[in-house]
Amino acid sequence: MPKTKDGGVTQKSVRKPRLSNDVAETRLAVRNCLKEENLSDESLVLVALSGGPDSLALAAALAFEAPKMNLKAGALIVDHGLQEGSHEVAVRAATEARKLDLDPVIIKSVDAQTNSEGPESAARSARYGAFREVAKETGAVRIMLGHTRDDQAEQVLLALARGSGAKSLAGIPPKRGIFLRPLLAVARQTIEKACADQELETWDDPHNSDPRFSRVRVRTRVLPMLEEELGPGIVDALARTAELAREDSEAFDEMINEIIAEIVEPAEAGIKVLSGALFANPAALRNRIIRFVANAEFGVQLTRQQTLEVAKLVTDYKGQGALHLPSMRVKREGSYIVFTAAPGSADAVG
């Protein structure tokens, strides 16, 4: 240990990481998010921590802001077991979390069985299942996720490429249930600088540079090409598109909730909707109501073409017969469009 001139032992000086604009921006984002939630004193908020820059910067910001608001802050690390050495990565992330004085710090191992949509979807399903399980076990009222503005831009670009509707263009929601994304308006570059300024030891997931994944190709090839060809600001523009689309989508959802109670009636093994009411609405709202009924009643996500075929029973009815769609049948009966469970489906009346 260092000694003074008279032989006494001095305390080892610890240099505090500097408070830069980037660190301040991440903290402010978390602070504003927590204020909006208006949580009770001593409520537990967990951060989903991978050890990467995004989640580690979020963890540091939560660790700083939560005590000031009389909240508890902890970390949850999910070990998917998809890569060699994944447990060591999880332990390393837990160590960083404890350095930030987060408590509890939990490592949860999951079995990410590949489903029909591929390894990314399987890992996501397993991860969110673990999030909900740990929240229930610990009493955590919120879980923070480290998605950034760049993630939002990538999501919107992928939705555009797939020809998705406005709801998909709304991108990643800043809040859904217990899940919060405080950094959704913060640039990835800001996050990385904040980690460096706070001397956080981050881990780079090799999956984030694996071109087998479409999101990686968008990040490393498509967006840089668009920036080069169209000029800077593409990420901001795509993120702004998500905000505008989300506002429109939320407005439509409110309108549907107001209308649906007036035009929908129960039917045997299903539900029926007044055709005239559907006809009186603009196509955008009419099609959303059709998709809403199919999903709410039968759990069916109609395609664009399927939705338009159902709409023809309203706008272009010429005596055509019933439409046989996944898990349900739709037909015109007098002044109603009737949705019923398909014969043999779980919802059908035996």
Side-chain angles (χ1 to χ4, degrees):
M1 268 188 134
K3 295 185 178 181
T4 61
K5 290 182 179 179
D6 60 1
V9 178
T10 65
Q11 293 295 321
K12 184 178 180 181
S13 62
V14 178
R15 184 175 66 84
K16 291 185 178 181
R18 68 189 185 92
L19 176 61
S20 65
N21 290 336
D22 301 295
V23 173
E25 186 173 347
T26 61
R27 290 178 178 177
L28 180 61
V30 169
R31 184 187 316 153
N32 289 339
C33 180
L34 290 173
K35 284 181 178 179
E36 288 179 6
E37 293 304 295
N38 194 28
L39 301 175
S40 302
D41 287 353
E42 299 297 312
S43 293
L44 174 61
V45 179
L46 297 176
V47 59
L49 181 61
S50 68
D54 300 348
S55 64
L56 198 50
L58 177 59
L62 177 62
F64 182 83
E65 295 292 341
K68 294 162 55 176
M69 304 180 73
N70 203 23
L71 299 172
K72 297 178 181 178
L76 167 58
I77 301 104
V78 175
D79 178 9
H80 299 85
L82 297 176
Q83 303 175 47
E84 185 177 348
S86 63
H87 179 69
E88 287 74 14
V89 171
V91 170
R92 175 178 170 180
T95 299
E96 289 299 303
R98 293 188 182 98
K99 287 180 183 178
L100 293 168
D101 292 329
L102 293 172
D103 183 35
V105 176
I106 300 165
I107 297 177
K108 186 76 171 179
S109 297
V110 297
D111 184 10
Q113 294 289 338
T114 300
N115 59 28
S116 59
E117 297 182 7
E120 284 182 288
S121 175
R124 184 182 187 279
S125 296
R127 182 165 60 251
Y128 277 82
F131 291 162
R132 292 186 176 92
E133 184 178 337
V134 171
K136 186 176 181 180
E137 293 171 352
T138 61
V141 296
R142 297 291 187 274
I143 295 180
M144 288 188 167
L145 308 174
H147 295 97
T148 67
R149 186 181 65 187
D150 297 72
D151 294 313
Q152 185 71 288
E154 292 160 14
Q155 183 72 15
V156 173
L157 199 54
L158 285 168
L160 284 168
R162 293 164 181 159
S164 303
K167 208 170 190 69
S168 293
L169 291 181
I172 306 168
K175 176 181 178 180
R176 178 173 288 168
I178 66 170
F179 300 108
L180 305 175
R181 298 176 174 89
L183 304 182
L184 207 52
V186 181
R188 183 176 291 140
Q189 186 178 35
T190 297
I191 298 298
E192 292 171 350
K193 288 180 179 177
C195 286
D197 291 340
Q198 296 174 95
E199 301 177 352
L200 301 175
E201 295 185 19
T202 62
W203 170 70
D204 292 323
D205 186 348
H207 281 174
N208 289 336
S209 57
D210 189 338
R212 291 180 301 168
F213 301 112
S214 56
R215 185 177 295 278
V216 172
R217 296 195 297 274
V218 166
R219 178 182 306 143
T220 61
R221 300 176 187 175
V222 179
L223 278 172
M225 182 272 291
L226 289 175
E227 292 273 357
E228 182 178 348
E229 296 296 331
L230 302 179
I234 294 298
V235 169
D236 288 343
L238 290 169
R240 188 164 58 251
T241 296
E243 289 182 25
L244 295 171
R246 184 164 54 254
E247 289 175 359
D248 290 347
S249 181
E250 289 173 353
F252 272 119
D253 288 345
E254 288 182 12
M255 293 171 70
I256 289 172
N257 289 331
E258 292 174 0
I259 293 170
I260 209 80
E262 300 177 4
I263 69 173
V264 169
E265 299 177 23
E268 186 177 353
I271 198 167
K272 57 184 181 180
V273 187
L274 278 168
S275 174
L278 285 174
F279 186 84
N281 281 296
L285 188 54
R286 178 168 55 246
N287 292 340
R288 281 175 176 262
I289 293 172
I290 290 170
R291 289 195 295 270
F292 176 87
V293 170
N295 187 38
E297 190 71 15
F298 304 100
V300 174
Q301 298 283 351
L302 293 179
T303 65
R304 170 71 172 170
Q305 186 58 41
Q306 290 168 341
T307 303
L308 293 178
E309 289 300 317
V310 174
K312 285 181 181 179
L313 297 175
V314 177
T315 61
D316 192 23
Y317 183 62
K318 298 176 181 177
Q320 59 264 44
L323 296 171
H324 297 274
L325 301 171
S327 301
M328 67 179 188
R329 181 172 59 184
V330 188
K331 61 180 178 179
R332 176 78 174 256
E333 286 186 2
S335 59
Y336 289 95
I337 305 299
V338 182
F339 297 73
T340 55
S345 70
D347 295 318
V349 175

